[in-house]
Amino acid sequence: MSRYAFGIDVGGTSVKLGLLTIDGEVVEKWEIDTDTSEGGKNILPDIAASVKDKMAEKGIKQEDVAGAGIGLPGPVDENGVINKAVNLHWDRKFNIAEELSNLLSGMHVKAGNDANVAALGEVWQGAGKGYKDMVMVTLGTGVGGGIIHDGKIVAGADGAAGEIGHLCIRPDETVSCNCGNCGCLEQYASATGIVRLVKEELEASDEDSLLRSGEVSAKTFWEAVGKGDKLCIRVAERFGRYLGIGLSIIGGVLNPEVFVIGGGVSRSGDLILPFIEKNFKAHVFHACANAKFVRATLGNDAGLIGAAKMVID
Ligand code: ZN
């Protein structure tokens, strides 16, 4: 019987790999560089070699392994077909699960979008443990999302379900989002978005603020909110309004049990939750208002843990 699974989380600069037991314990984790040269053609062979090396090192045989799950920064459908990954310099559509499986002597491989896979990790071993219907929101440089329904990833027809960051929340916005549209949630709720809102607010008046001197970042911003900085609290209210309204729409569609808030912004502590929750409750349909809000607990390991879960069942 298989006792292990590999979890792989591919990023633009490094690949995180993990050897897990099928009960979700991380036995060992390590990283390799992401070689994006020559159209990223070495990425999968490098991963396969690293997995094989680990099996040899640990004396693990193919039959001891349930499989390898892989999370990728691009849209991946239920069958493991990825449609381009800009950060990896992949500009084609192909079945990544099949290709990696071939490189791993036929090992069972499943692939998913990295944000969706991280959501699966949190629902299996993290903040979403015990829930079956969960939405994870990742607040980082951008805003990502993953939907878990009945314990499984909702990938969508094109592998792009859960792209919460590009919900249009302000149709009258004139500044463009990275995606080309205007008024995306990501423009207000990401780390970059918060910095933009703070700078706008600082320029609009001479009002005192802890952020008048020193670096303006999502981290210093939330610290200032924690210290009662009035200007920053006003920006936090705006952040909470946009994100809360965005999540109230998702809440009305999916009626999840819990929203798990992850990513760098969420590490600023529980103080961000009330700003979101208050606005969610003010706008969501009453029968969907019971959703809980919690912070993610797995940090950067959510991806590799969730990736492994895809091949364990
Ligand atoms: Zn956008």
Side-chain angles (χ1 to χ4, degrees):
M1 209 189 104
S2 8
R3 291 178 297 146
Y4 299 105
F6 287 96
I8 303 156
D9 182 17
V10 185
T13 52
S14 70
V15 180
K16 297 184 182 69
L17 297 102
L19 172 66
L20 285 84
T21 66
I22 55 168
D23 299 321
E25 185 200 337
V26 180
V27 179
E28 202 170 319
K29 54 181 181 175
W30 68 101
E31 286 187 31
I32 59 173
D33 290 339
T34 308
D35 176 5
T36 54
S37 68
E38 297 176 78
K41 74 178 177 67
N42 299 316
I43 296 175
L44 291 183
D46 287 352
I47 290 170
S50 187
V51 166
K52 286 185 163 178
D53 284 351
K54 188 57 67 181
M55 288 170 71
E57 179 196 322
K58 298 273 179 193
I60 295 172
K61 296 191 197 71
Q62 192 95 351
E63 62 261 33
D64 299 328
V65 181
I70 182 166
L72 298 136
V76 182
D77 73 14
E78 274 179 13
N79 302 315
V81 174
I82 186 162
N83 188 0
K84 298 183 185 173
V86 187
N87 293 343
L88 306 182
H89 298 193
W90 289 350
D91 60 359
R92 62 193 178 111
K93 187 173 178 178
F94 68 103
N95 192 314
I96 185 172
E98 252 171 49
E99 276 202 29
L100 185 58
S101 175
N102 289 339
L103 292 165
L104 286 170
S105 319
M107 187 185 284
H108 175 46
V109 174
K110 281 204 160 185
N113 165 267
D114 53 5
N116 293 350
V117 166
L120 188 63
E122 287 288 345
V123 88
W124 184 35
Q125 295 295 332
K129 206 168 179 172
Y131 297 104
K132 293 173 95 177
D133 286 292
M134 172 265 225
V135 173
M136 179 159 171
V137 184
T138 307
L139 305 173
T141 320
V143 172
I147 300 164
I148 302 295
H149 172 63
D150 203 15
K152 298 244 178 324
I153 290 173
V154 176
D158 298 297
E163 282 295 345
I164 292 167
H166 302 284
L167 280 180
C168 183
I169 212 75
R170 261 196 72 181
D172 58 344
E173 176 64 75
T174 52
V175 179
S176 291
C177 174
N178 289 330
C179 75
N181 293 342
C182 291
C184 293
L185 180 57
E186 179 165 301
Q187 290 182 271
Y188 316 98
S190 63
T192 339
I194 284 176
V195 168
R196 184 170 73 97
L197 295 183
V198 172
K199 286 185 173 164
E200 275 177 19
E201 198 74 25
L202 286 170
E203 277 165 25
S205 76
D206 297 330
E207 184 182 338
D208 259 0
S209 168
L210 292 166
L211 298 190
R212 286 260 170 230
S213 56
E215 186 204 4
V216 178
S217 68
K219 186 167 180 284
T220 58
F221 164 75
W222 286 109
E223 282 166 7
V225 172
K227 288 176 187 157
D229 187 278
K230 287 206 173 66
L231 183 144
C232 288
I233 289 172
R234 224 163 44 236
V235 172
E237 295 284 357
R238 278 185 78 189
F239 155 89
R241 190 161 68 245
Y242 293 129
L243 188 52
I245 290 175
L247 297 188
S248 75
I249 295 166
I250 292 162
V253 175
L254 296 171
N255 186 202
E257 298 167 279
V258 64
F259 284 97
V260 174
I261 312 292
V265 174
S266 71
R267 273 168 223 145
S268 303
D270 282 334
L271 90 163
I272 91 162
L273 296 180
F275 289 101
I276 308 169
E277 202 170 349
K278 181 175 69 181
N279 287 285
F280 170 82
K281 288 207 187 299
H283 295 282
V284 76
F285 179 58
H286 67 86
C288 303
N290 292 325
K292 293 181 179 60
F293 284 77
V294 296
R295 278 194 299 133
T297 57
L298 299 179
N300 291 333
D301 291 346
L304 61 90
I305 292 173
K309 176 61 178 163
M310 285 195 290
V311 293
I312 301 170
D313 260 329

